Amino acid sequence: SAVISQKPSRDICQRGTSLTIQCQVDSQVTMMFWYRQQPGQSLTLIATANQGSEATYESGFVIDKFPISRPNLTFSTLTVSNMSPEDSSIYLCSVELASSGANVLTFGAGSRLTVL
Amino acid sequence: SQQGEEDPQALSIQEGENATMNCSYKTSINNLQWYRQNSGRGLVHLILIRSNEREKHSGRLRVTLDTSKKSSSLLITASRAADTASYFCATDGDTGGFKTIFGAGTRLFVKA
């Protein structure tokens, strides 16, 4: 299975600033997924990032707020822009296991953001 | 939007007891999965059951799927303190199989 390195693991940010989260995979993958998990809640898909094309955002998420880069098949970044306390969440990147034959996901350890 | 609804939201049991968590979903699916999350960390895949399967086992885990009722259950037998975690069901929902949508999750606490 793929190994995903995600950083930062946690950060405390000031309102109005932006933070970029990095996700590195140890193998080439077609699709990478970014999820948000608000405190005590489940995971909500933010966007799907494909290499060589613009990310596909889910309802309620926009590129200006959550710009995503996908420069190659092993790396992606998610930026949380102009942060407010409501953006305090765990942000998780994930990839699909190629061997699963189904959309089984492997996750990074997550980036816990606290916005003051 | 969330696909799965899970119950109970929280479950507290003694070590050695069985834990059962239920999940309901709204649309047709190709498969249903269960994941585990320890203390706000990344999720770990536990088991996948396909829509044409009714029951599946993996170690102390037993998953059932009833597509007529759009529901699934996860049974953990002989629970251990180390099973303390949040458990989420997830489906591909009505997404063409490209996205995984997670349920609300059940927080399991196993007392030693």
Side-chain angles (χ1 to χ4, degrees):
Chain A
S1 62
V3 176
I4 301 175
S5 300
Q6 195 173 330
K7 60 181 180 182
S9 59
R10 58 178 64 230
D11 207 340
I12 299 173
C13 307
Q14 295 298 317
R15 182 194 299 260
T17 63
S18 299
L19 182 77
T20 296
I21 301 166
Q22 299 180 9
C23 181
Q24 179 75 53
V25 188
D26 69 344
S27 57
Q28 294 184 338
V29 294
T30 303
M31 290 191 286
M32 296 178 75
F33 304 92
W34 286 98
Y35 284 87
R36 179 177 75 181
Q37 186 177 29
Q38 293 176 302
Q41 303 297 313
S42 185
L43 282 72
T44 301
L45 183 63
I46 298 172
T48 302
N50 292 328
Q51 194 269 335
S53 63
E54 287 211 356
T56 303
Y57 287 83
E58 297 300 304
S59 175
F61 297 96
V62 296
I63 189 171
D64 289 345
K65 176 67 176 178
F66 297 101
I68 288 171
S69 77
R70 184 79 202 274
N72 56 53
L73 290 172
T74 64
F75 187 78
S76 178
T77 67
L78 169 75
T79 298
V80 186
S81 303
N82 188 24
M83 287 185 284
S84 67
E86 292 71 33
D87 294 319
S88 296
S89 295
I90 299 172
Y91 292 86
L92 299 130
C93 74
S94 66
V95 302
E96 189 174 304
L97 291 176
S99 60
S100 68
N103 49 330
V104 174
L105 299 177
T106 295
F107 283 84
S111 298
R112 183 185 293 269
L113 267 54
T114 301
V115 184
L116 303 178
Chain B
S1 61
Q2 294 301 319
Q3 165 79 317
E5 304 270 338
E6 291 174 73
D7 77 272
Q9 290 186 333
L11 180 62
S12 181
I13 60 175
Q14 289 292 139
E15 205 166 31
E17 294 181 340
N18 296 341
T20 299
M21 290 161 270
N22 303 298
C23 166
S24 61
Y25 55 92
K26 298 176 183 176
T27 66
S28 60
I29 61 171
N30 295 307
N31 61 68
L32 185 143
Q33 306 171 56
W34 286 89
Y35 289 80
R36 165 191 167 131
Q37 184 181 37
N38 285 64
S39 302
R41 302 286 289 174
L43 277 71
V44 174
H45 179 257
L46 295 176
I47 193 166
L48 177 147
I49 185 166
R50 299 186 188 277
S51 60
N52 61 352
E53 298 176 310
R54 293 296 168 258
E55 187 171 313
K56 202 161 183 180
H57 297 254
S58 177
R60 294 184 296 112
L61 305 180
R62 172 178 170 254
V63 170
T64 63
L65 179 64
D66 186 334
T67 53
S68 67
K69 296 181 179 178
K70 290 186 169 59
S71 67
S72 173
S73 67
L74 171 68
L75 169 68
I76 304 175
T77 60
S79 63
R80 305 166 182 168
D83 294 328
T84 295
S86 292
Y87 293 83
F88 296 90
C89 69
T91 68
D92 53 356
D94 193 17
T95 67
F98 296 111
K99 296 183 287 190
T100 303
I101 309 298
F102 287 83
T106 294
R107 294 186 185 184
L108 174 66
F109 181 65
V110 181
K111 293 177 280 188

